[in-house]
Amino acid sequence: MESKIQVYKNLQELSIAAADLFAASAEQAINSRGRFLTALSGGGTPKPLHELLAGAPYRDQIDWKRTHIFWGDERCVAKDDSGNNYYQAKQAFMDSVHLPAENIHRVISELEPDSAADEYASQLKAFAEAPLDWPRLDLIILGMGDDGHTASLFPGSPVEINTPTVAVTANYQDRPAMRVSLTPLVINAARRAVFLVSGQSKSETLARILHGEHQPEQLPAQRIRPTDGEVIWLVDEAAAGKL
C-alpha cells in the first residue's frame, strides 16, 4: 500500500489540514456507522490541531456526542501532570467542546504500566469489532520522533507483539520509559492512520522511513501499515526537506 504524502508550508498549515481531515473523518464515520472512534497523540506537534478543534468552525462541525476519544500512548504519571497526553488534550480542547465524559477513554496513568496496559486493553475490548478484540479506529493521529519512533514503540523494541497494548518500561534515551502504548495490531486495524511530522530535525529520518530500506526494528514508524485502511503523512516543508 502506498502512503499518501502531503507537504505544507509550516506547522500551522499542516494543522489546519489535519483539523479538516479530523472533521471529515468524523462525518464519514458517523454517517456510516453511527459513531466516530479516534485516537490522539501527545507532544508539541499535535497541540495546534487540538487548539483548532476547540474553536470555530471545527467545534461546531463535529458531533462530539457520538465521538469517542482514545490515545495512542500515554505516560504513567498523574492525570493532571503536564506531560500526560490526556491532560494536554483536556486543556487544549476537550474542556471546550460538548464531549460526554463517558466518551473519553484514557489510559489510567496512575497505575503501574503493566496494570495500566491491561486495563486499557479491557477498554478497547468494549469497542471491539469481531473477530478482533479491539476496535477498528476510524482515525488515529500519530507522531514521529527524530529516531523514527511512533506512539511509544521505540527503536529496538519487539516488532512482533500479540497484544493490543504494551507496557513500555525499558530504559529509553537513558531514562525509564514508564508508558503504555497501542501496538501495531490496533494501529494497523485503523481505517485511517495520519502522521503529523514537523521540523528539520526529522527530515533525514522521514526520508529513511518513506524511501529507505525496510528496517522496522530500528524505525518503528515503518511498522504502521494498515491492513484495510490508509496512511497519510502530513508534513511541513522543513521535515520534507530530504524527501
Side-chain angles (χ1 to χ4, degrees):
M1 181 189 62
E2 291 292 325
S3 298
K4 298 178 182 178
I5 306 167
Q6 301 174 9
V7 181
Y8 298 90
K9 183 177 180 179
N10 51 41
L11 178 57
Q12 185 61 24
E13 291 191 7
L14 181 162
S15 300
I16 292 170
D20 288 341
L21 190 55
F22 189 100
S25 296
E27 182 178 18
Q28 291 165 4
I30 290 167
N31 287 343
S32 298
R33 292 173 293 279
R35 65 184 186 181
F36 174 48
L37 307 183
T38 185
L40 306 178
S41 63
T45 301
K47 185 177 179 181
L49 163 62
H50 296 168
E51 292 171 344
L52 285 167
L53 295 176
Y58 307 105
R59 179 187 59 212
D60 303 317
Q61 287 179 349
I62 295 165
D63 185 347
W64 296 105
K65 291 182 179 179
R66 291 197 277 179
T67 295
H68 291 262
I69 306 285
F70 298 83
W71 277 265
D73 69 333
E74 185 60 274
R75 296 171 177 84
C76 287
V77 295
K79 67 178 182 179
D80 57 355
D81 187 287
S82 61
N84 184 273
N85 293 340
Y86 155 79
Y87 184 71
Q88 291 172 5
K90 181 178 186 295
Q91 294 288 97
F93 81 95
M94 290 196 304
D95 283 346
S96 302
V97 301
H98 300 295
L99 183 65
E102 60 269 24
N103 291 14
I104 300 171
H105 309 285
R106 72 178 186 93
V107 176
I108 307 303
S109 57
E110 303 92 319
L111 300 174
E112 291 297 311
D114 285 336
S115 297
D118 289 343
E119 194 282 335
Y120 196 39
S122 296
Q123 290 195 60
L124 295 171
K125 191 168 185 177
F127 287 83
E129 296 184 31
L132 305 177
D133 281 336
W134 48 86
R136 285 203 68 193
L137 295 168
D138 298 298
L139 173 70
I140 181 167
I141 302 291
L142 297 166
M144 187 206 80
D146 294 358
D147 59 0
H149 84 264
T150 190
S152 285
L153 306 173
F154 296 121
S157 62
V159 174
E160 300 296 332
I161 307 173
N162 60 8
T163 57
T165 62
V166 63
V168 182
T169 56
N171 284 352
Y172 176 69
Q173 293 183 340
D174 299 324
R175 65 183 188 275
M178 300 296 288
R179 301 182 183 199
V180 170
S181 182
L182 294 182
T183 70
L185 287 178
V186 178
I187 300 172
N188 286 334
R191 293 180 168 88
R192 181 173 284 157
V194 178
F195 282 90
L196 309 183
V197 187
S198 174
Q200 185 177 0
S201 66
K202 299 181 180 180
S203 60
E204 183 174 341
T205 301
L206 180 63
R208 288 176 62 203
I209 287 169
L210 292 175
H211 302 307
E213 183 181 351
H214 188 57
Q215 299 177 305
E217 183 175 349
Q218 295 307 315
L219 298 171
Q222 289 185 333
R223 304 175 194 176
I224 308 310
R225 295 183 167 189
T227 51
D228 185 23
E230 62 178 346
V231 178
I232 302 175
W233 292 81
L234 305 183
V235 305
D236 65 12
E237 290 181 354
K242 297 189 177 181
L243 293 181

